Amino acid sequence: MIHFTLRRCITQGGLPWRSLQPLIKSSTLREKPFQSWSPTPLVCRQSSTNRLLGARAIVCLPSRLCHGNPLDAPQKENTPPHAKEEAFSMKALAQAPKPALYLGFSGLLPFVSAPLAMAAAGSFCPQVAYAQVVYGACIVSFLGGARWGFAIPEGSPARPDWKNLGNSVVPSLVAWLALLCRDNVTEGTLLVLMGLGLSLHYDLTLLPGYPAWFKAMRTVLTLVATFSLVATLALKKFGRQEEEPAAVEEQARS
């Protein structure tokens, strides 16, 4: 188009150079339209030694020079909220719901009342001691069932696998064995103590998922129940033994 315009101007007698400038500018604008500016990467030239070694070119974008390389920033771990266990602390007991606190600590009354009643009477009563063993066996079985119910719902931190469900059955079996020791209260009490300690070990270390306030409450309740059972064993060892009603009737008949 430029050559055609020049040839036309020459045949008509020629035009000054100033009159040709608008035509040249308009033709160049038509041939090369306006392009949007985009940041081009700044390529660092390599030295001759780097070229011989075959090193790659380093590409540095202006946005990375100003704001840093986002690839170098530490990536956050995409872990679910329940995956991280809450740290165990006795201070978390203040965050426990009031119904859980009232019901949990009121459940200690059968444990504490048995040794207190025998200490007030001044003698060891096998019936009262066995009643304490029966109640302790029920609590141990309840703790195992609580773990089972905690692992069953969808979205629970504890999965319904062999580890959670299998270990939650063990306290119930220990409680059943304790109930069979009717004639030997000492063995039944020791089995209940073993079940309480095993359940606490499961909830604190082996099986995760419980909130911190529940772990703190479980620790306090287990310690009080353990001291109550140990007090019953101490009364049987060092206290005066109360004769059973059958032995008293035989002595009266003789």
Side-chain angles (χ1 to χ4, degrees):
M1 182 179 289
I2 299 174
H3 296 289
F4 177 76
T5 306
L6 292 174
R7 185 179 300 176
R8 184 178 179 182
C9 294
I10 293 171
T11 54
Q12 292 181 1
L15 291 174
W17 174 253
R18 294 180 179 178
S19 61
L20 293 177
Q21 288 181 354
L23 297 175
I24 296 172
K25 291 182 179 180
S26 61
S27 63
T28 55
L29 291 175
R30 289 177 183 176
E31 291 179 357
K32 296 182 179 179
F34 177 76
Q35 298 179 354
S36 60
W37 179 83
S38 61
T40 57
L42 303 177
V43 182
C44 300
R45 296 183 179 179
Q46 301 173 343
S47 61
S48 59
T49 56
N50 291 336
R51 289 180 183 178
L52 293 175
L53 295 176
R56 296 182 180 179
I58 302 174
V59 180
C60 302
L61 292 176
S63 59
R64 292 186 180 180
L65 292 176
C66 298
H67 303 285
N69 189 358
L71 299 177
D72 297 337
Q75 298 179 358
K76 297 181 179 180
E77 298 180 357
N78 297 326
T79 55
H82 58 265
K84 297 181 179 179
E85 284 189 63
E86 298 183 14
F88 174 74
S89 176
M90 296 303 296
K91 296 180 180 179
L93 188 62
Q95 303 175 0
K98 290 184 178 180
L101 287 176
Y102 295 155
L103 293 174
F105 283 95
S106 62
L108 293 175
L109 293 177
F111 279 113
V112 179
S113 60
L116 290 178
M118 289 185 290
S123 61
F124 175 78
C125 181
Q127 291 78 13
V128 176
Y130 183 72
Q132 187 188 33
V133 171
V134 172
Y135 180 75
C138 294
I139 293 299
V140 171
S141 181
F142 166 76
L143 294 176
R147 165 59 61 174
W148 186 288
F150 184 71
I152 289 298
E154 296 183 0
S156 176
R159 297 180 180 179
D161 52 8
W162 285 102
K163 181 180 179 180
N164 286 289
L165 299 184
N167 288 317
S168 62
V169 177
V170 176
S172 301
L173 296 177
V174 175
W176 172 64
L177 293 176
L179 293 177
L180 297 178
C181 302
R182 184 179 181 86
D183 298 333
N184 194 336
V185 181
T186 303
E187 294 180 358
T189 304
L190 292 177
L191 286 173
V192 172
L193 287 172
M194 184 177 67
L196 291 174
L198 193 64
S199 300
L200 184 62
H201 170 68
Y202 286 165
D203 295 340
L204 295 183
T205 59
L206 185 59
L207 304 177
Y210 284 138
W213 65 266
F214 184 76
K215 294 179 180 180
M217 186 179 69
R218 282 276 291 108
T219 303
V220 175
L221 297 179
T222 302
L223 290 177
V224 176
T226 301
F227 288 143
S228 301
L229 292 169
V230 171
T232 301
L233 293 178
L235 287 173
K236 183 183 180 181
K237 180 69 175 178
F238 303 104
R240 182 173 60 87
Q241 298 288 331
E242 182 179 340
E243 296 182 357
E244 297 182 358
V248 174
E249 291 179 2
E250 290 180 0
Q251 290 180 1
R253 291 176 184 177
S254 60

